[in-house]
Amino acid sequence: DAGVIQSPRHEVTEMGQEVTLRCKPISGHDYLFWYRQTMMRGLELLIYFNNNVPIDDSGMPEDRFSAKMPNASFSTLKIQPSEPRDSAVYFCASSFGRPGYTFGSGTRLTVV
Amino acid sequence: AQKITQTQPGMFVQEKEAVTLDCTYDTSDPSYGLFWYKQPSSGEMIFLIYQGSYDQQNATEGRYSLNFQKARKSANLVISASQLGDSAMYFCAMSPHTGNQFYFGTGTSLTVIP
C-alpha cells in the first residue's frame, strides 16, 4: 500500500500565478479530503469528496480556490490567482470507514 | 458546534517517563470518534489511536493509551516510556459518526529530553 500520494512536496510560486496541487488517494478509499495547515489557523478542512462527488466545500476560502476529483484515483486543488496569504501546507487525506484518515505527506506552498 | 481544545501548547518530558497530553471536546452528537495524530518535524500526519464514544474500554496502541472520560468530555493521550522519537506535535481530533468531517485541536508540542 503506497499510502496517499501528494505532489509536489514543495512549491514556490509568484503571486498571481496558478498553482495546482495533486493527490492520489489510497485505492478503495471512498472519501477524500483537502486540508490546509497554517500556524495561525491550524488545520482547516477545505473540501471533501465522497465517491468523487464534492460533499462540502464550505471551507474553501474564496473563488480563487477550486478542487476536482475526476476519478477515484486522482484529485486536484487549484489556486488561481495565488496570493502570499495562501502560503501553507496543504494536506490530502483519504478514508474508508473507520478509524481515522490516512494523510499524505503534504505540499508546502510558498507564494512570494 | 464541534470544538476541540488542547490547552498545552508545549510540554517537556524526560526520556523513559510517561506524559499525558490533554484534550477536551464539545459536541452535541451522541455518537462520535476521538483520534490522536502525531506530526513530526518532517510534516506528515501519523494516525496514533482511536476511541469510539460508545467504547467501554479505553483504547490502547502499544505505548499509547487514550484516557477517555465521557462525562468530562476529555480524551487525554498518555504516552508511556517516552522516547526521543516521540518529540513532535500532537493533535487531538473528533469526528461525529453522522458525518465524515474531522475537527482538530490546535496541537501540543512535545519535547522529549534525554
Side-chain angles (χ1 to χ4, degrees):
Chain A
D1 189 346
V4 177
I5 300 172
Q6 290 187 247
S7 64
R9 286 298 307 272
H10 303 274
E11 176 81 36
V12 180
T13 190
E14 290 185 348
M15 183 173 61
Q17 295 297 306
E18 177 180 295
V19 176
T20 300
L21 311 181
R22 297 172 177 79
C23 176
K24 177 179 169 56
I26 292 174
S27 177
H29 280 192
D30 56 350
Y31 282 88
L32 184 139
F33 307 82
W34 283 100
Y35 277 86
R36 178 171 68 176
Q37 185 179 34
T38 61
M39 288 294 293
M40 291 298 294
R41 300 174 69 94
L43 277 154
E44 303 173 276
L45 176 66
L46 299 177
I47 185 172
Y48 77 93
F49 297 82
N50 177 223
N51 293 321
N52 313 337
V53 177
I55 302 301
D56 185 352
D57 65 354
S58 59
M60 296 286 264
E62 302 170 31
D63 291 345
R64 298 185 296 107
F65 285 70
S66 62
K68 294 182 179 179
M69 192 165 186
N71 56 62
S73 59
F74 184 65
S75 177
T76 59
L77 178 68
K78 186 177 293 186
I79 309 172
Q80 166 63 16
S82 58
E83 297 182 2
R85 59 193 170 119
D86 302 332
S87 297
V89 179
Y90 291 81
F91 284 102
C92 176
S94 68
S95 73
F96 178 77
R98 293 189 178 271
Y101 298 161
T102 300
F103 280 83
S105 298
T107 294
R108 183 173 295 276
L109 174 65
T110 303
V111 183
V112 298
Chain B
Q2 328 285 352
K3 187 177 179 181
I4 305 292
T5 303
Q6 294 180 253
T7 58
Q8 306 154 313
M11 290 281 288
F12 292 85
V13 63
Q14 203 76 36
E15 193 178 7
K16 300 181 184 177
E17 297 293 311
V19 63
T20 298
L21 306 184
D22 294 342
C23 173
T24 58
Y25 61 92
D26 189 17
T27 181
S28 56
D29 283 86
S31 179
Y32 48 89
L34 296 157
F35 304 79
W36 279 91
Y37 282 84
K38 173 184 178 182
Q39 187 176 39
S41 57
S42 53
E44 70 267 35
M45 294 284 285
I46 302 167
F47 166 69
L48 294 178
I49 195 167
Y50 163 79
Q51 176 85 42
S53 59
Y54 287 107
D55 292 344
Q56 295 297 316
Q57 294 197 347
N58 287 343
T60 61
E61 289 288 345
R63 295 186 298 110
Y64 303 109
S65 60
L66 199 152
N67 184 1
F68 180 47
Q69 298 187 47
K70 193 171 183 178
R72 295 185 176 183
K73 292 189 174 179
S74 74
N76 298 339
L77 177 70
V78 180
I79 305 174
S80 62
S82 297
Q83 302 172 356
L84 295 179
D86 294 335
S87 294
M89 282 289 290
Y90 289 81
F91 292 92
C92 179
M94 183 192 65
S95 179
H97 284 175
T98 53
N100 215 285
Q101 185 170 350
F102 272 45
Y103 300 88
F104 285 89
T106 51
T108 295
S109 176
L110 176 67
T111 302
V112 180
I113 304 167

